[in-house]
Amino acid sequence: MAKTSDPVALNEWYAIETLSEVTATPRLTRLLGQDLIVARDADGAPRVQEIDEAGKPIGAPLPTRERYGCLWTTLGEPQREIFDIPEAAEDDRRFVICGWVKLRTSAPRVIENFLDMAHFPYVHHDILGAVPHTEVPTYESEIRRDVDEVWATNCRFFQPRIAVTESAGDFVQLTYRVPSPFTVMLYRVCPSAPSRLDAIALFIQPIEEELCRAQPVMFLVDEQSAYNDILKFEQVIFSQDRIIVENQRPLRLPLEPRAEIPTRADGSSVAYRRWLKEKGLRYGTIAGSR
């Protein structure tokens, strides 16, 4: 498939590689249907460039940013900088970058799955949810026009394990944030520091309309857990989600309200779809392709 012509998708910033993997040795990747080559110059600066079918660079190097443990780039002209994650600047937080996972589905489907609390008891049984605690209590979802983001607040759900350090279950307070069409975040109260919130981001690289890869990046208030335990906890959850999103049909996200009937628990999804439709995003949606 060829590079998309969708200006909404083109004019976004995307995490495309873990910074520790960006070296002088060139690496190939793909974004929005366009092949890219990624490397560091002799002075250590990252260079990302589009390449043709023969593997030869074309055009000028693309803009790059090094943030949140990843290398970011864009194929267009973003109207704003990469969104801010204030927790990333707090020195006492554990920074856990979980690794990329490829998924055979659209990026918007992955975002919507991340927002869905109703699947916790069935997909993440005895971890993020459990029967009979299946009801999603009423919460608030909105498009925040001042920052152009989707937020879901006052979310509560019973979880058998509220963190790696905990073994007892409880109702947890959750907040969801979608700062860009292909990034989603979760904030949850930290058991060891109830006045603070753990922050978990999911960065998605849309490779094709129905193929993407995603990386969870965590900013935790956790001085106790071993790094490998945190990583394993997140990878188990993500492997369970992967089965679900790859088997959803259609793979692209329908934006018409009547295409898939929402329930009361789907408020964040409804807001996300409405937001994408207002933006005119076609890539990875049923609203149109390429």
Side-chain angles (χ1 to χ4, degrees), residues 217-263:
V217 177
M218 312 172 78
F219 307 92
L220 308 177
V221 184
D222 182 350
E223 298 178 353
Q224 304 176 30
S225 302
Y227 178 87
N228 286 341
D229 290 340
I230 298 174
L231 192 61
K232 182 180 178 180
F233 184 81
E234 189 65 25
Q235 288 178 339
V236 167
I237 292 171
F238 206 88
S239 66
Q240 294 170 336
D241 279 326
R242 182 180 182 179
I243 297 171
I244 300 302
V245 296
E246 290 191 335
N247 283 283
Q248 280 186 295
R249 294 296 183 273
L251 293 176
R252 302 178 195 182
L253 187 69
L255 298 188
E256 291 301 323
R258 289 174 290 184
E260 294 178 343
I261 300 174
T263 67

Short mmCIF file of all heavy atoms in Angstrom, two decimals, residues 217-263:
data_model
loop_
_atom_site.label_atom_id
_atom_site.label_comp_id
_atom_site.label_asym_id
_atom_site.label_seq_id
_atom_site.Cartn_x
_atom_site.Cartn_y
_atom_site.Cartn_z
N VAL A 217 4.20 2.70 27.77
CA VAL A 217 5.27 3.39 28.49
C VAL A 217 4.68 3.86 29.82
O VAL A 217 3.63 4.51 29.84
CB VAL A 217 5.81 4.57 27.67
CG1 VAL A 217 6.86 5.34 28.46
CG2 VAL A 217 6.40 4.08 26.35
N MET A 218 5.36 3.52 30.92
CA MET A 218 4.78 3.73 32.25
C MET A 218 5.63 4.69 33.07
O MET A 218 6.87 4.63 33.04
CB MET A 218 4.66 2.39 32.97
CG MET A 218 4.02 1.31 32.12
SD MET A 218 4.08 -0.36 32.87
CE MET A 218 2.76 -0.20 34.05
N PHE A 219 4.95 5.57 33.81
CA PHE A 219 5.59 6.50 34.72
C PHE A 219 4.97 6.25 36.10
O PHE A 219 3.89 6.75 36.42
CB PHE A 219 5.37 7.94 34.28
CG PHE A 219 5.76 8.18 32.83
CD1 PHE A 219 4.82 8.04 31.81
CD2 PHE A 219 7.05 8.53 32.50
CE1 PHE A 219 5.18 8.25 30.49
CE2 PHE A 219 7.42 8.74 31.17
CZ PHE A 219 6.48 8.61 30.17
N LEU A 220 5.65 5.45 36.91
CA LEU A 220 5.05 4.89 38.12
C LEU A 220 5.67 5.44 39.40
O LEU A 220 6.88 5.71 39.45
CB LEU A 220 5.21 3.37 38.12
CG LEU A 220 4.74 2.61 36.87
CD1 LEU A 220 5.04 1.13 37.04
CD2 LEU A 220 3.26 2.84 36.61
N VAL A 221 4.84 5.56 40.42
CA VAL A 221 5.33 5.86 41.77
C VAL A 221 5.43 4.51 42.47
O VAL A 221 4.52 4.07 43.17
CB VAL A 221 4.38 6.81 42.52
CG1 VAL A 221 4.96 7.18 43.88
CG2 VAL A 221 4.11 8.06 41.70
N ASP A 222 6.53 3.84 42.28
CA ASP A 222 6.68 2.47 42.77
C ASP A 222 8.17 2.20 43.02
O ASP A 222 8.94 2.04 42.07
CB ASP A 222 6.12 1.48 41.74
CG ASP A 222 6.21 0.04 42.20
OD1 ASP A 222 6.86 -0.23 43.22
OD2 ASP A 222 5.62 -0.82 41.52
N GLU A 223 8.56 2.17 44.28
CA GLU A 223 9.95 1.92 44.62
C GLU A 223 10.21 0.47 44.98
O GLU A 223 11.35 0.08 45.23
CB GLU A 223 10.36 2.81 45.80
CG GLU A 223 10.26 4.30 45.52
CD GLU A 223 10.63 5.14 46.73
OE1 GLU A 223 10.83 4.54 47.81
OE2 GLU A 223 10.73 6.37 46.59
N GLN A 224 9.15 -0.35 45.01
CA GLN A 224 9.28 -1.72 45.51
C GLN A 224 9.41 -2.78 44.42
O GLN A 224 10.21 -3.70 44.54
CB GLN A 224 8.07 -2.06 46.39
CG GLN A 224 7.85 -1.09 47.55
CD GLN A 224 6.59 -1.43 48.32
OE1 GLN A 224 6.18 -2.58 48.39
NE2 GLN A 224 5.95 -0.41 48.88
N SER A 225 8.62 -2.66 43.37
CA SER A 225 8.54 -3.73 42.39
C SER A 225 9.82 -3.87 41.57
O SER A 225 10.43 -2.87 41.18
CB SER A 225 7.36 -3.48 41.44
OG SER A 225 6.15 -3.38 42.15
N ALA A 226 10.16 -5.10 41.28
CA ALA A 226 11.28 -5.36 40.38
C ALA A 226 10.86 -4.98 38.97
O ALA A 226 9.70 -5.14 38.57
CB ALA A 226 11.67 -6.84 40.44
N TYR A 227 11.83 -4.50 38.21
CA TYR A 227 11.54 -4.06 36.84
C TYR A 227 10.90 -5.19 36.04
O TYR A 227 9.91 -4.97 35.33
CB TYR A 227 12.84 -3.60 36.18
CG TYR A 227 12.68 -3.18 34.74
CD1 TYR A 227 12.32 -1.88 34.41
CD2 TYR A 227 12.87 -4.10 33.70
CE1 TYR A 227 12.17 -1.49 33.09
CE2 TYR A 227 12.72 -3.72 32.38
CZ TYR A 227 12.37 -2.41 32.08
OH TYR A 227 12.21 -2.05 30.77
N ASN A 228 11.42 -6.39 36.15
CA ASN A 228 10.89 -7.51 35.38
C ASN A 228 9.46 -7.86 35.78
O ASN A 228 8.67 -8.31 34.94
CB ASN A 228 11.79 -8.73 35.52
CG ASN A 228 13.08 -8.60 34.75
OD1 ASN A 228 13.19 -7.77 33.84
ND2 ASN A 228 14.08 -9.39 35.11
N ASP A 229 9.11 -7.66 37.05
CA ASP A 229 7.74 -7.93 37.49
C ASP A 229 6.76 -6.93 36.88
O ASP A 229 5.65 -7.29 36.47
CB ASP A 229 7.66 -7.87 39.02
CG ASP A 229 8.36 -9.05 39.69
OD1 ASP A 229 8.58 -10.07 39.01
OD2 ASP A 229 8.69 -8.93 40.89
N ILE A 230 7.16 -5.66 36.84
CA ILE A 230 6.32 -4.63 36.21
C ILE A 230 6.13 -4.94 34.73
O ILE A 230 5.03 -4.88 34.19
CB ILE A 230 6.94 -3.24 36.40
CG1 ILE A 230 7.03 -2.87 37.87
CG2 ILE A 230 6.13 -2.19 35.63
CD1 ILE A 230 7.77 -1.57 38.14
N LEU A 231 7.24 -5.29 34.09
CA LEU A 231 7.20 -5.58 32.66
C LEU A 231 6.32 -6.79 32.36
O LEU A 231 5.49 -6.76 31.44
CB LEU A 231 8.62 -5.82 32.15
CG LEU A 231 8.83 -5.86 30.64
CD1 LEU A 231 8.43 -4.54 30.01
CD2 LEU A 231 10.28 -6.19 30.32
N LYS A 232 6.47 -7.83 33.14
CA LYS A 232 5.67 -9.04 32.93
C LYS A 232 4.19 -8.77 33.14
O LYS A 232 3.34 -9.25 32.38
CB LYS A 232 6.14 -10.15 33.88
CG LYS A 232 5.40 -11.46 33.70
CD LYS A 232 5.91 -12.52 34.66
CE LYS A 232 5.13 -13.82 34.50
NZ LYS A 232 5.61 -14.87 35.44
N PHE A 233 3.85 -8.00 34.18
CA PHE A 233 2.46 -7.65 34.47
C PHE A 233 1.81 -6.97 33.26
O PHE A 233 0.71 -7.34 32.84
CB PHE A 233 2.42 -6.73 35.69
CG PHE A 233 1.04 -6.37 36.16
CD1 PHE A 233 0.31 -7.23 36.94
CD2 PHE A 233 0.48 -5.14 35.83
CE1 PHE A 233 -0.97 -6.90 37.39
CE2 PHE A 233 -0.78 -4.79 36.27
CZ PHE A 233 -1.51 -5.67 37.05
N GLU A 234 2.51 -6.01 32.69
CA GLU A 234 1.97 -5.27 31.55
C GLU A 234 1.91 -6.14 30.30
O GLU A 234 0.96 -6.06 29.51
CB GLU A 234 2.82 -4.02 31.29
CG GLU A 234 2.22 -3.06 30.28
CD GLU A 234 0.91 -2.44 30.75
OE1 GLU A 234 0.69 -2.37 31.97
OE2 GLU A 234 0.09 -2.05 29.88
N GLN A 235 2.90 -6.97 30.08
CA GLN A 235 2.93 -7.80 28.88
C GLN A 235 1.83 -8.86 28.90
O GLN A 235 1.29 -9.19 27.84
CB GLN A 235 4.31 -8.43 28.73
CG GLN A 235 5.39 -7.45 28.32
CD GLN A 235 6.77 -8.07 28.22
OE1 GLN A 235 7.04 -9.12 28.79
NE2 GLN A 235 7.66 -7.42 27.48
N VAL A 236 1.51 -9.39 30.07
CA VAL A 236 0.41 -10.35 30.17
C VAL A 236 -0.91 -9.69 29.77
O VAL A 236 -1.68 -10.25 28.98
CB VAL A 236 0.30 -10.92 31.60
CG1 VAL A 236 -1.03 -11.66 31.79
CG2 VAL A 236 1.46 -11.85 31.88
N ILE A 237 -1.15 -8.48 30.28
CA ILE A 237 -2.37 -7.75 29.94
C ILE A 237 -2.44 -7.47 28.45
O ILE A 237 -3.47 -7.67 27.79
CB ILE A 237 -2.44 -6.44 30.75
CG1 ILE A 237 -2.64 -6.76 32.23
CG2 ILE A 237 -3.58 -5.55 30.24
CD1 ILE A 237 -2.51 -5.56 33.14
N PHE A 238 -1.31 -7.04 27.88
CA PHE A 238 -1.30 -6.66 26.47
C PHE A 238 -1.50 -7.88 25.58
O PHE A 238 -2.18 -7.82 24.54
CB PHE A 238 0.01 -5.96 26.12
CG PHE A 238 -0.11 -5.03 24.95
CD1 PHE A 238 -0.50 -3.71 25.13
CD2 PHE A 238 0.14 -5.47 23.67
CE1 PHE A 238 -0.62 -2.86 24.06
CE2 PHE A 238 0.02 -4.63 22.58
CZ PHE A 238 -0.36 -3.32 22.77
N SER A 239 -0.94 -9.03 25.97
CA SER A 239 -1.11 -10.24 25.17
C SER A 239 -2.57 -10.69 25.16
O SER A 239 -3.06 -11.22 24.16
CB SER A 239 -0.20 -11.36 25.70
OG SER A 239 -0.59 -11.76 27.00
N GLN A 240 -3.28 -10.47 26.28
CA GLN A 240 -4.71 -10.80 26.33
C GLN A 240 -5.52 -9.86 25.44
O GLN A 240 -6.44 -10.29 24.74
CB GLN A 240 -5.19 -10.73 27.78
CG GLN A 240 -4.58 -11.79 28.67
CD GLN A 240 -4.88 -11.57 30.15
OE1 GLN A 240 -5.15 -10.44 30.58
NE2 GLN A 240 -4.83 -12.63 30.94
N ASP A 241 -5.17 -8.58 25.45
CA ASP A 241 -5.87 -7.61 24.60
C ASP A 241 -5.65 -7.89 23.12
O ASP A 241 -6.54 -7.68 22.29
CB ASP A 241 -5.39 -6.19 24.92
CG ASP A 241 -6.07 -5.61 26.15
OD1 ASP A 241 -7.25 -5.92 26.37
OD2 ASP A 241 -5.42 -4.85 26.89
N ARG A 242 -4.46 -8.34 22.79
CA ARG A 242 -4.12 -8.58 21.39
C ARG A 242 -5.08 -9.56 20.73
O ARG A 242 -5.50 -9.36 19.58
CB ARG A 242 -2.68 -9.10 21.30
CG ARG A 242 -2.20 -9.34 19.89
CD ARG A 242 -0.77 -9.85 19.89
NE ARG A 242 -0.27 -10.03 18.54
CZ ARG A 242 0.96 -10.45 18.27
NH1 ARG A 242 1.80 -10.70 19.26
NH2 ARG A 242 1.34 -10.60 17.02
N ILE A 243 -5.45 -10.62 21.46
CA ILE A 243 -6.37 -11.61 20.92
C ILE A 243 -7.70 -10.96 20.56
O ILE A 243 -8.30 -11.26 19.52
CB ILE A 243 -6.58 -12.75 21.93
CG1 ILE A 243 -5.26 -13.47 22.19
CG2 ILE A 243 -7.65 -13.72 21.45
CD1 ILE A 243 -5.32 -14.47 23.33
N ILE A 244 -8.18 -10.06 21.41
CA ILE A 244 -9.47 -9.42 21.20
C ILE A 244 -9.44 -8.48 20.00
O ILE A 244 -10.28 -8.58 19.10
CB ILE A 244 -9.90 -8.64 22.46
CG1 ILE A 244 -10.03 -9.59 23.65
CG2 ILE A 244 -11.21 -7.89 22.21
CD1 ILE A 244 -11.01 -10.71 23.45
N VAL A 245 -8.47 -7.56 19.97
CA VAL A 245 -8.48 -6.54 18.93
C VAL A 245 -8.22 -7.12 17.55
O VAL A 245 -8.73 -6.62 16.54
CB VAL A 245 -7.49 -5.40 19.23
CG1 VAL A 245 -7.88 -4.67 20.49
CG2 VAL A 245 -6.05 -5.90 19.32
N GLU A 246 -7.44 -8.19 17.48
CA GLU A 246 -7.14 -8.78 16.17
C GLU A 246 -8.32 -9.57 15.62
O GLU A 246 -8.36 -9.87 14.42
CB GLU A 246 -5.90 -9.67 16.24
CG GLU A 246 -4.61 -8.88 16.43
CD GLU A 246 -3.36 -9.72 16.24
OE1 GLU A 246 -3.45 -10.97 16.43
OE2 GLU A 246 -2.33 -9.16 15.91
N ASN A 247 -9.29 -9.89 16.48
CA ASN A 247 -10.46 -10.65 16.03
C ASN A 247 -11.71 -9.80 15.90
O ASN A 247 -12.78 -10.32 15.56
CB ASN A 247 -10.71 -11.82 16.98
CG ASN A 247 -9.75 -12.97 16.75
OD1 ASN A 247 -9.90 -13.73 15.80
ND2 ASN A 247 -8.73 -13.08 17.60
N GLN A 248 -11.61 -8.50 16.17
CA GLN A 248 -12.75 -7.61 15.96
C GLN A 248 -12.96 -7.38 14.47
O GLN A 248 -12.00 -7.26 13.71
CB GLN A 248 -12.52 -6.27 16.66
CG GLN A 248 -12.79 -6.28 18.14
CD GLN A 248 -12.69 -4.90 18.74
OE1 GLN A 248 -11.62 -4.29 18.75
NE2 GLN A 248 -13.79 -4.39 19.23
N ARG A 249 -14.21 -7.29 14.09
CA ARG A 249 -14.55 -6.98 12.70
C ARG A 249 -15.61 -5.89 12.67
O ARG A 249 -16.56 -5.94 13.45
CB ARG A 249 -15.06 -8.23 11.96
CG ARG A 249 -14.00 -9.33 11.78
CD ARG A 249 -12.85 -8.87 10.89
NE ARG A 249 -11.87 -9.92 10.66
CZ ARG A 249 -10.83 -10.19 11.43
NH1 ARG A 249 -10.62 -9.44 12.53
NH2 ARG A 249 -10.00 -11.16 11.15
N PRO A 250 -15.47 -4.91 11.81
CA PRO A 250 -14.35 -4.71 10.89
C PRO A 250 -13.09 -4.26 11.63
O PRO A 250 -13.17 -3.78 12.77
CB PRO A 250 -14.86 -3.62 9.96
CG PRO A 250 -15.82 -2.83 10.80
CD PRO A 250 -16.49 -3.84 11.69
N LEU A 251 -11.95 -4.41 10.98
CA LEU A 251 -10.69 -4.02 11.61
C LEU A 251 -10.58 -2.51 11.76
O LEU A 251 -9.98 -2.02 12.71
CB LEU A 251 -9.51 -4.55 10.79
CG LEU A 251 -9.35 -6.08 10.77
CD1 LEU A 251 -8.19 -6.47 9.85
CD2 LEU A 251 -9.11 -6.62 12.17
N ARG A 252 -11.16 -1.78 10.82
CA ARG A 252 -11.14 -0.33 10.91
C ARG A 252 -12.31 0.15 11.78
O ARG A 252 -13.34 -0.50 11.86
CB ARG A 252 -11.21 0.31 9.52
CG ARG A 252 -10.06 -0.14 8.62
CD ARG A 252 -10.15 0.45 7.24
NE ARG A 252 -9.25 -0.25 6.32
CZ ARG A 252 -9.07 0.07 5.06
NH1 ARG A 252 -9.74 1.08 4.53
NH2 ARG A 252 -8.24 -0.64 4.31
N LEU A 253 -12.12 1.28 12.40
CA LEU A 253 -13.11 1.78 13.36
C LEU A 253 -14.24 2.52 12.66
O LEU A 253 -14.01 3.55 12.01
CB LEU A 253 -12.43 2.71 14.36
CG LEU A 253 -13.30 3.18 15.53
CD1 LEU A 253 -13.59 2.00 16.46
CD2 LEU A 253 -12.60 4.29 16.30
N PRO A 254 -15.49 2.06 12.77
CA PRO A 254 -16.63 2.78 12.18
C PRO A 254 -16.89 4.08 12.94
O PRO A 254 -16.91 4.08 14.17
CB PRO A 254 -17.80 1.82 12.34
CG PRO A 254 -17.19 0.49 12.65
CD PRO A 254 -15.92 0.78 13.37
N LEU A 255 -17.09 5.16 12.23
CA LEU A 255 -17.33 6.45 12.87
C LEU A 255 -18.78 6.88 12.83
O LEU A 255 -19.17 7.83 13.52
CB LEU A 255 -16.45 7.54 12.23
CG LEU A 255 -14.93 7.33 12.35
CD1 LEU A 255 -14.19 8.57 11.84
CD2 LEU A 255 -14.52 7.02 13.78
N GLU A 256 -19.58 6.21 12.02
CA GLU A 256 -21.00 6.55 11.99
C GLU A 256 -21.68 6.04 13.26
O GLU A 256 -21.49 4.87 13.65
CB GLU A 256 -21.67 5.95 10.76
CG GLU A 256 -21.22 6.60 9.45
CD GLU A 256 -21.51 8.09 9.43
OE1 GLU A 256 -22.57 8.50 9.96
OE2 GLU A 256 -20.69 8.84 8.89
N PRO A 257 -22.48 6.86 13.93
CA PRO A 257 -23.06 6.49 15.23
C PRO A 257 -23.85 5.19 15.22
O PRO A 257 -23.87 4.46 16.20
CB PRO A 257 -23.95 7.69 15.57
CG PRO A 257 -23.38 8.82 14.79
CD PRO A 257 -22.84 8.22 13.52
N ARG A 258 -24.52 4.89 14.09
CA ARG A 258 -25.38 3.71 14.07
C ARG A 258 -24.68 2.45 13.55
O ARG A 258 -25.29 1.39 13.46
CB ARG A 258 -26.61 4.01 13.20
CG ARG A 258 -27.59 4.98 13.84
CD ARG A 258 -28.71 5.36 12.91
NE ARG A 258 -28.22 6.20 11.82
CZ ARG A 258 -29.00 6.74 10.89
NH1 ARG A 258 -30.31 6.53 10.94
NH2 ARG A 258 -28.50 7.49 9.94
N ALA A 259 -23.38 2.57 13.22
CA ALA A 259 -22.66 1.42 12.69
C ALA A 259 -22.49 0.33 13.74
O ALA A 259 -22.59 -0.86 13.45
CB ALA A 259 -21.29 1.85 12.16
N GLU A 260 -22.21 0.72 14.98
CA GLU A 260 -22.11 -0.20 16.11
C GLU A 260 -22.83 0.44 17.29
O GLU A 260 -22.52 1.56 17.67
CB GLU A 260 -20.64 -0.48 16.45
CG GLU A 260 -19.89 -1.22 15.35
CD GLU A 260 -18.43 -1.45 15.69
OE1 GLU A 260 -17.90 -0.77 16.60
OE2 GLU A 260 -17.81 -2.30 15.04
N ILE A 261 -23.79 -0.28 17.85
CA ILE A 261 -24.64 0.30 18.89
C ILE A 261 -23.91 0.34 20.22
O ILE A 261 -23.52 -0.70 20.75
CB ILE A 261 -25.95 -0.50 19.03
CG1 ILE A 261 -26.71 -0.50 17.70
CG2 ILE A 261 -26.81 0.08 20.14
CD1 ILE A 261 -27.94 -1.38 17.69
N PRO A 262 -23.67 1.54 20.78
CA PRO A 262 -22.96 1.63 22.05
C PRO A 262 -23.87 1.36 23.24
O PRO A 262 -25.10 1.46 23.14
CB PRO A 262 -22.47 3.08 22.08
CG PRO A 262 -23.53 3.82 21.30
CD PRO A 262 -23.98 2.85 20.22
N THR A 263 -23.27 1.03 24.37
CA THR A 263 -23.99 0.89 25.63
C THR A 263 -23.60 2.05 26.54
O THR A 263 -22.76 2.88 26.19
CB THR A 263 -23.66 -0.44 26.33
OG1 THR A 263 -22.28 -0.41 26.75
CG2 THR A 263 -23.86 -1.62 25.39
#
